[in-house]
Amino acid sequence: MSTPFPSDLEIAQAAEIQPISDIAAEAGISEARLEPYGKNVAKVLLDETTTAENALKKGSKYIVVTAVTPTPLGEGKTATAVSLAQGMGKTGRKAMLTLRQPSMGPTFGIKGGAAGGGYSQIIPMQKLNLHLTGDFHAVTAAHNLLAAMIDNHLHHGNELNIDTRSISWRRVLDVNDRALRNVVIGLGERMDGVPRQTGFDITSASEIMVILSLATSFDDLRERLGRIVIGYNHDGDAVTAKDLKADGSLAVILADAVNPNLLQTLEHTPALIHAGPFGNIATGNSSIVADYVGLEHADYVITEAGFGADMGAERFFNVKCRVSGLRPDAAVLVVTVRSLKSHSGLFKIVPGKPLPEDMLKESPADVEAGAANLLKHIEIVRNFGVQPVVAINAFPTDFESEHQKIREIAEAAGARVAIHRGVAEGGAGATDLADAVAAACDDHSELVYTYEDSDSLETKLEKVATKVYGADGIEVAPAAKKQLAQFEQLGYGNLPVVIAKTHLSISSDASLKGAPTDWALPVREVRLAAGAGYVYAICGTMRTMPGLAKSPAAERIGFDEKGTMVGLS
Amino acid sequence: MSTPFPSDLEIAQAAEIQPISDIAAEAGISEARLEPYGKNVAKVLLDETTTAENALKKGSKYIVVTAVTPTPLGEGKTATAVSLAQGMGKTGRKAMLTLRQPSMGPTFGIKGGAAGGGYSQIIPMQKLNLHLTGDFHAVTAAHNLLAAMIDNHLHHGNELNIDTRSISWRRVLDVNDRALRNVVIGLGERMDGVPRQTGFDITSASEIMVILSLATSFDDLRERLGRIVIGYNHDGDAVTAKDLKADGSLAVILADAVNPNLLQTLEHTPALIHAGPFGNIATGNSSIVADYVGLEHADYVITEAGFGADMGAERFFNVKCRVSGLRPDAAVLVVTVRSLKSHSGLFKIVPGKPLPEDMLKESPADVEAGAANLLKHIEIVRNFGVQPVVAINAFPTDFESEHQKIREIAEAAGARVAIHRGVAEGGAGATDLADAVAAACDDHSELVYTYEDSDSLETKLEKVATKVYGADGIEVAPAAKKQLAQFEQLGYGNLPVVIAKTHLSISSDASLKGAPTDWALPVREVRLAAGAGYVYAICGTMRTMPGLAKSPAAERIGFDEKGTMVGLS
């Protein structure tokens, strides 16, 4: 971005924000369902109308925004989703966004925030990037109360005969704190508990965060909380939150968090911000109930799935839609010139450092050299039976010839294509994209799952690896095979699967760019998320608690001498 | 209480609640200063009028509610404060309450909640006892970000040369979790941080919670955050939050939390609920800014100080009033028949077990046998130059003759006395108390501190021990003497002091009832709270992270089959 372009925070602070009650009224959300949190944010209360049936009845269009395999810098997926929603408004269509809530931890780490960018942002961005309405805090509190009840149970005699070595329920905090990854607790004297090794994850990695995102109602949330498996007893039986009598209290703690949060874009498009599960070990999708509310009120509901189409979108189709009963009408594939140049394998991008100089030179050939990745993602979307729309997120440093090259490649693959300049121009820069997406929605989509509920867990993993990722097969470690058998024996064989792998390659090897072939997915370990309702396979080193950089954003966030908040971006 | 009396939660749920905007309008709080959090709670935004000067200008009366030395069951101090405020309303006076926010941890532990009792409660009690507007969560987040920045600093080379053994900044969570009292962090591999021993306290024990309560403005809060001392470098110099460049981010995290929360009593008296520092190691008082807002708008502002007059009220006078510049007009001393019977030394009360049967028999003699404690607390209040009013919190199991005995004792000591039945009858049961307090406010009070800023730290501790507690002197351990000298050398000698001792006796020995004499206060260790602005002496075993009981309230909190919240009390 050229120097005189204002910062995201400056744009957000200069924005004219509308009272959230006006946004709600415009969207047809009744006053009675609105719980204000300040003047510019409100919760939309779930009620008996918040169901899949009602969401489907209106015939609204349901669009998921996904992307090619991203560079470490990200490709502007949220900015594109916001641009598209604003573009829908500019072209006279009634749209609503449903997005994940950003995690506070990374706000003070590298990123300084996550709310779109430039003239395609969610506001008030200071609220969005901090506490918002406290849903993450509620997840943290519920998660840690369950942990305290586990250790309290051990302390008071362990009546349930829990095998302490099997306890998989860790603690969570919404802060980047590497020193909490591995800890020993219960030290001190006899009255200070039972010593054991455990650790902390970031709150977005909590199973309760996934439960919040996948629950179809508050009753469903309560039942899922009760089903959480925290470990096993010495007979190998699962020990649940219900066994510990914790489910009622967890539900009480989450009673407000279950309601989605209403905010707005810079152009006053309503945006429901709700839940924020991790994209690598979890589903990486916003909440089902927010989508229900959106489809009940808008003609176009635009949601976003984390990372590339192999990651968040695969789970959107195979897990979220399976649970919600909703069917997408189009999938937007975000692509940038720099992402395809990166997939050429000719350059190395390092976060926090400037792009390699050669990457900024005009070169359609370098773009074409990375085309395999885009083509693979188009194929992934098509295989789910959904209409793809390739959205080129234009940067000021791009060249027309490079955009043209992407258009040729995607159109040759039969996809609709549109360039958007939403970051620089807002909705006015995304009217072509809005038209292309609307046309795709009028075309035929019919969701096809990659696997059946009745497939074995191993078959499910294999089908995702081969049919989605393009692997030759999977290599399941003996310990993982044993775990899968145990899960099936305990009655969890019908659950869908999530594959926890790197997001920086379609394969499980982050260094492989483009569309890797001739590889097998190594399944090292599998874990059960019984409350969320899936089994996940660990394929690589998964970090569930980030660290802070040497000079983190936290050192620059604060107030200037005029009392204006600075440092968020 | 007799069996047909409804539970606190039932009374609260059956209450007619007024829209908080009506409560604010009635109190003269302008619409522009009101940030709604749902329909029944709002934050009152601080502005340039929120100052000591403005608070004093109106000449409103300022009343602190304290108590005799409590039994382990508590003597209904909050219930009395609420009763008094409601009684003020019934007698045509314009009152406002300023109270601490209850901590979520204990809500799921033994207590199930804290919001007054019976017909003298703060509503909505479900909000009050859970997240409210997220202030505790903000304190937790700010506290733990600073902790993460400390360990991140160590991980990246420890430029400030921090002596890791000197780090006194622990982490906090608002949950009763004994297993976190003593932990080792930073285990794992090289990239997982620097191993060291530390621990977690409950959020109400965070220095940031005290800062929130003692800050006189947002600017003052920011400066106090920067002054927090987290430990020392190898040269013995203090290392502050500002040195770690954390103060800006901490302030950003606390930007909403600095504004007091407006709720109402069952009879619609406005109640500002704000901050909740621990009563044993910290100040145990609600926020200064809430008192400023209250005095600006009401004729009588009623606040509460934790535990007995030797504890919370001593800090209210010597620390909170010193910082705020406010001057109390009366102190209400809550007393119960059971508390004085307990101070007779004839009975043993155990929390969670029924009272000894003999204690429920009519016996003015047993009441008189415990009178020394009441008389000592009247003397404590008088020595601060403030008018005492003894409030007898009547229980259904009390006898008229016992109330009469308390009245005789207190009146003989020159104190005003009133019986109230606010728990059973609401404000109508507290009109006598309201009249007595109003009369006391019209009498002469002139606050006298126990010590001067210029006294040495050791002299300050000695003066509190001898002049307030009635000790013969103090016994400072050699290590504590050295620490006091260090604090004075570092420039902290002018700070006030807090004495962390048991609340179950005026002495430092919980087993000594009545008004102990012939004892000396043992000062084992002293600590610095440079951000909060005081030095505190550890006199006894102080627990800063509670545990859960074998069958905690958390097992009973939840929803019934009709979806109604149950188990809070």
Side-chain angles (χ1 to χ4, degrees):
Chain A
M1 221 132 293
S2 60
T3 323
F5 200 82
S7 80
D8 288 355
L9 182 57
E10 284 163 348
I11 291 174
Q13 284 171 337
E16 241 184 89
I17 195 158
Q18 281 189 8
I20 201 66
S21 49
D22 293 0
I23 300 286
E26 181 78 20
I29 296 170
S30 72
E31 180 72 26
R33 289 184 66 175
L34 215 61
E35 277 237 319
Y37 280 71
K39 292 181 177 66
N40 302 318
V41 175
K43 275 195 174 284
V44 181
L45 304 182
L46 304 186
D47 65 14
E48 64 290 346
T49 68
T50 318
T51 61
E53 204 187 2
N54 267 322
L56 292 167
K57 202 155 54 186
K58 192 167 178 292
S60 306
K61 303 300 186 184
Y62 188 38
I63 300 135
V64 61
V65 176
T66 176
V68 299
T69 302
T71 64
L73 305 174
E75 301 319 309
K77 199 151 29 82
T78 304
T80 299
V82 177
S83 300
L84 171 57
Q86 294 186 148
M88 287 285 185
K90 287 279 183 216
T91 54
R93 299 177 176 101
K94 195 177 166 186
M96 207 180 288
L97 277 160
T98 59
L99 300 174
R100 278 183 294 169
Q101 180 180 338
S103 177
M104 241 172 92
T107 295
F108 294 94
I110 280 188
K111 289 162 56 170
Y119 290 95
S120 288
Q121 289 188 61
I122 307 293
I123 51 174
M125 80 100 95
Q126 302 99 307
K127 297 263 177 197
L128 180 68
N129 283 311
L130 297 170
H131 314 285
L132 198 55
T133 60
D135 296 348
F136 274 45
H137 293 317
V139 169
T140 304
H143 189 114
N144 292 334
L145 176 61
L146 179 53
M149 289 177 80
I150 294 167
D151 280 293
N152 191 54
H153 186 84
L154 301 180
H155 177 74
H156 287 293
N158 195 10
E159 249 173 58
L160 291 171
N161 196 25
I162 300 170
D163 180 351
T164 56
R165 298 159 306 179
S166 78
I167 297 172
S168 52
W169 196 257
R170 291 155 55 94
R171 285 170 176 79
V172 298
L173 277 180
D174 194 6
V175 60
N176 289 13
D177 193 348
R178 70 170 64 74
L180 294 181
R181 285 174 192 153
N182 302 288
V183 305
V184 170
I185 63 170
L187 299 174
E189 311 193 5
R190 187 183 161 79
M191 288 310 293
D192 298 328
V194 178
R196 65 185 185 89
Q197 182 157 354
T198 178
F200 285 70
D201 298 324
I202 194 161
T203 298
S204 42
S206 166
E207 184 176 343
I208 294 180
M209 186 64 87
V210 191
I211 291 176
L212 187 66
S213 75
L214 287 177
T216 55
S217 67
F218 186 56
D219 285 345
D220 183 45
L221 175 99
R222 285 167 59 188
E223 283 166 26
R224 285 170 188 271
L225 291 170
R227 290 200 293 266
I228 290 170
V229 170
I230 62 95
Y232 300 88
N233 66 17
H234 283 286
D235 298 329
D237 304 320
V239 177
T240 65
K242 200 179 183 68
D243 294 333
L244 287 160
K245 301 182 193 157
D247 49 324
S249 281
L250 303 192
V252 162
I253 292 174
L254 295 165
D256 294 323
V258 77
N259 301 304
N261 307 296
L262 182 65
L263 284 81
Q264 61 189 288
T265 71
L266 285 170
E267 296 178 8
H268 316 305
T269 317
L272 291 168
I273 309 292
H274 199 213
F278 241 36
N280 48 11
I281 61 144
T283 49
N285 279 273
S286 57
S287 84
I288 285 174
V289 289
D291 290 354
Y292 286 170
V293 171
L295 290 164
E296 219 188 299
H297 293 93
D299 297 325
Y300 293 86
V301 171
I302 298 153
T303 191
E304 181 195 344
F307 298 137
D310 54 323
M311 301 286 291
E314 182 272 315
R315 295 153 193 177
F316 173 80
F317 297 128
N318 279 326
V319 182
K320 185 178 177 184
C321 288
R322 199 182 291 256
V323 174
S324 70
L326 300 177
R327 298 289 171 265
D329 297 285
V332 174
L333 260 173
V334 179
V335 63
T336 57
V337 166
R338 70 182 183 189
S339 67
L340 292 193
K341 285 187 178 176
S342 153
H343 280 291
S344 71
L346 301 168
F347 309 99
K348 194 174 154 65
I349 300 181
V350 181
K353 295 205 178 161
L355 290 177
E357 217 171 283
D358 282 353
M359 231 177 122
L360 297 173
K361 288 184 183 157
E362 178 166 9
S363 173
D366 290 350
V367 169
E368 189 159 25
N373 187 267
L374 173 60
L375 293 170
K376 178 66 188 168
H377 283 287
I378 293 173
E379 182 196 312
I380 289 174
V381 169
R382 279 217 176 285
N383 285 347
F384 279 105
V386 176
Q387 291 290 336
V389 179
V390 173
I392 304 171
N393 180 19
F395 279 61
T397 49
D398 294 350
F399 293 90
E400 177 64 33
S401 62
E402 298 171 331
H403 289 164
Q404 207 44 49
K405 180 54 71 185
I406 300 178
R407 181 184 287 280
E408 278 168 26
I409 294 163
E411 283 181 344
R416 288 179 174 83
V417 182
I419 299 166
H420 84 87
R421 303 179 190 279
V423 173
E425 299 171 15
T431 53
D432 286 356
L433 177 60
D435 289 341
V437 170
C441 286
D442 291 335
D443 209 334
H444 181 74
S445 282
E446 190 165 342
L447 181 60
V448 181
Y449 296 133
T450 308
Y451 50 81
E452 301 304 315
D453 288 346
S454 57
D455 287 340
S456 74
L457 292 169
E458 187 166 335
T459 301
K460 286 170 186 163
L461 293 171
E462 191 186 7
K463 284 187 175 176
V464 174
T466 55
K467 291 165 71 175
V468 179
Y469 302 163
D472 297 334
I474 61 174
E475 286 165 1
V476 186
K481 267 198 197 287
K482 214 174 128 189
Q483 286 169 314
L484 287 173
Q486 189 199 4
F487 296 157
E488 289 182 344
Q489 200 206 321
L490 289 169
Y492 299 109
N494 62 328
L495 293 180
V497 296
V498 163
I499 294 175
K501 68 165 188 73
T502 178
H503 61 281
L504 297 172
S505 169
I506 298 177
S507 78
S508 56
D509 178 349
S511 69
L512 299 180
K513 299 294 161 201
T517 51
D518 300 318
W519 63 283
L521 181 78
V523 177
R524 182 163 58 80
E525 183 194 345
V526 291
R527 296 181 193 163
L528 173 65
Y534 57 83
V535 167
Y536 61 110
I538 308 293
C539 306
T541 314
M542 287 302 123
R543 194 147 267 174
T544 48
M545 172 54 94
L548 291 171
K550 182 159 188 187
S551 172
E555 293 184 353
R556 291 173 295 282
I557 292 173
F559 294 88
D560 66 13
E561 58 291 337
K562 280 176 288 180
T564 307
M565 205 181 277
V566 296
L568 295 175
S569 68
Chain B
M1 220 133 294
S2 59
T3 323
F5 200 83
S7 79
D8 288 356
L9 182 56
E10 283 163 349
I11 292 173
Q13 284 171 338
E16 240 183 89
I17 195 160
Q18 281 189 8
I20 200 66
S21 50
D22 293 0
I23 300 285
E26 181 77 20
I29 297 169
S30 73
E31 181 72 28
R33 288 184 67 175
L34 215 62
E35 278 238 319
Y37 279 69
K39 291 178 179 68
N40 304 317
V41 175
K43 274 193 173 287
V44 180
L45 305 181
L46 304 186
D47 66 14
E48 66 288 348
T49 69
T50 317
T51 61
E53 202 186 4
N54 268 321
L56 291 168
K57 202 156 51 186
K58 194 167 174 296
S60 306
K61 302 300 183 183
Y62 187 38
I63 300 136
V64 62
V65 177
T66 176
V68 299
T69 302
T71 66
L73 306 172
E75 302 319 309
K77 199 149 31 81
T78 305
T80 298
V82 177
S83 300
L84 171 57
Q86 294 187 147
M88 287 284 185
K90 287 281 183 213
T91 53
R93 299 179 177 100
K94 196 176 167 189
M96 205 179 290
L97 277 160
T98 59
L99 300 175
R100 278 184 293 169
Q101 180 180 339
S103 175
M104 242 172 91
T107 295
F108 293 94
I110 280 190
K111 288 163 56 173
Y119 289 95
S120 288
Q121 289 187 61
I122 307 293
I123 51 174
M125 79 101 95
Q126 302 97 309
K127 298 262 177 198
L128 180 67
N129 283 309
L130 297 169
H131 314 285
L132 197 56
T133 59
D135 295 347
F136 274 44
H137 293 319
V139 168
T140 304
H143 189 115
N144 292 333
L145 176 61
L146 178 53
M149 290 177 80
I150 294 167
D151 280 294
N152 191 54
H153 186 85
L154 301 180
H155 177 74
H156 286 293
N158 194 10
E159 248 174 59
L160 291 171
N161 196 25
I162 299 169
D163 179 351
T164 57
R165 299 160 304 179
S166 78
I167 297 173
S168 53
W169 196 257
R170 293 155 54 95
R171 285 169 176 80
V172 298
L173 276 180
D174 194 6
V175 60
N176 289 14
D177 193 347
R178 69 171 65 72
L180 294 180
R181 285 175 193 154
N182 302 288
V183 305
V184 170
I185 62 170
L187 299 174
E189 311 193 5
R190 186 185 163 78
M191 289 310 292
D192 298 326
V194 178
R196 65 184 185 91
Q197 181 157 353
T198 179
F200 285 70
D201 298 324
I202 195 160
T203 297
S204 41
S206 165
E207 183 176 344
I208 293 179
M209 186 64 86
V210 191
I211 291 176
L212 187 65
S213 75
L214 287 177
T216 55
S217 67
F218 186 56
D219 285 345
D220 183 46
L221 176 101
R222 285 166 60 188
E223 282 166 27
R224 285 170 187 271
L225 290 170
R227 289 200 294 265
I228 289 171
V229 170
I230 62 94
Y232 300 88
N233 66 16
H234 283 285
D235 298 327
D237 304 320
V239 177
T240 65
K242 200 179 183 73
D243 294 333
L244 287 160
K245 300 182 194 158
D247 50 324
S249 281
L250 302 193
V252 162
I253 292 175
L254 295 166
D256 294 323
V258 77
N259 300 306
N261 307 294
L262 182 64
L263 286 81
Q264 62 190 286
T265 71
L266 285 170
E267 297 177 7
H268 316 305
T269 317
L272 292 168
I273 309 291
H274 199 213
F278 240 37
N280 48 10
I281 61 146
T283 49
N285 279 274
S286 58
S287 84
I288 285 174
V289 290
D291 291 352
Y292 286 170
V293 171
L295 289 164
E296 219 186 299
H297 292 93
D299 296 325
Y300 293 86
V301 170
I302 298 154
T303 190
E304 181 195 344
F307 299 136
D310 54 322
M311 302 285 293
E314 182 272 315
R315 294 149 194 180
F316 172 80
F317 297 127
N318 279 325
V319 182
K320 186 178 177 186
C321 288
R322 200 182 289 257
V323 174
S324 71
L326 300 178
R327 296 291 171 261
D329 297 285
V332 175
L333 259 173
V334 180
V335 63
T336 57
V337 167
R338 71 181 183 190
S339 67
L340 292 194
K341 285 186 177 176
S342 152
H343 280 293
S344 70
L346 302 167
F347 310 98
K348 194 173 154 67
I349 299 181
V350 181
K353 297 207 174 155
L355 290 178
E357 217 170 283
D358 282 352
M359 230 176 123
L360 297 173
K361 290 185 183 155
E362 178 168 6
S363 174
D366 289 352
V367 169
E368 189 159 23
N373 188 265
L374 173 59
L375 292 170
K376 178 68 189 169
H377 283 288
I378 292 174
E379 182 196 311
I380 289 173
V381 169
R382 279 217 178 286
N383 284 347
F384 279 106
V386 176
Q387 291 291 333
V389 179
V390 173
I392 304 172
N393 181 18
F395 279 61
T397 49
D398 294 351
F399 292 90
E400 177 64 31
S401 62
E402 297 170 333
H403 290 165
Q404 206 43 48
K405 180 55 70 182
I406 301 178
R407 181 183 289 278
E408 278 168 27
I409 295 163
E411 283 181 345
R416 286 178 176 82
V417 183
I419 300 165
H420 84 86
R421 303 179 189 279
V423 173
E425 301 171 12
T431 53
D432 286 354
L433 178 60
D435 289 340
V437 170
C441 287
D442 290 335
D443 209 336
H444 182 72
S445 282
E446 191 165 346
L447 181 60
V448 182
Y449 298 133
T450 309
Y451 50 81
E452 301 304 315
D453 289 347
S454 57
D455 287 338
S456 74
L457 293 170
E458 187 168 334
T459 301
K460 286 170 186 163
L461 294 171
E462 191 185 5
K463 284 187 175 177
V464 174
T466 54
K467 291 165 70 175
V468 180
Y469 302 162
D472 296 335
I474 61 175
E475 285 164 3
V476 186
K481 267 199 194 288
K482 214 174 131 190
Q483 286 170 316
L484 287 172
Q486 189 199 4
F487 296 157
E488 289 183 345
Q489 199 205 324
L490 289 167
Y492 299 110
N494 62 329
L495 293 181
V497 296
V498 163
I499 294 177
K501 68 165 188 71
T502 178
H503 61 282
L504 297 172
S505 169
I506 298 178
S507 77
S508 57
D509 178 349
S511 69
L512 299 180
K513 298 297 161 198
T517 51
D518 299 317
W519 63 283
L521 182 79
V523 177
R524 183 164 57 82
E525 185 194 343
V526 292
R527 296 184 193 158
L528 174 66
Y534 58 82
V535 167
Y536 60 111
I538 307 293
C539 306
T541 315
M542 287 302 122
R543 192 148 269 172
T544 49
M545 171 56 93
L548 290 171
K550 180 159 190 189
S551 172
E555 294 184 354
R556 291 173 294 280
I557 292 172
F559 293 89
D560 66 13
E561 57 291 338
K562 283 175 288 183
T564 308
M565 204 180 277
V566 293
L568 295 175
S569 67

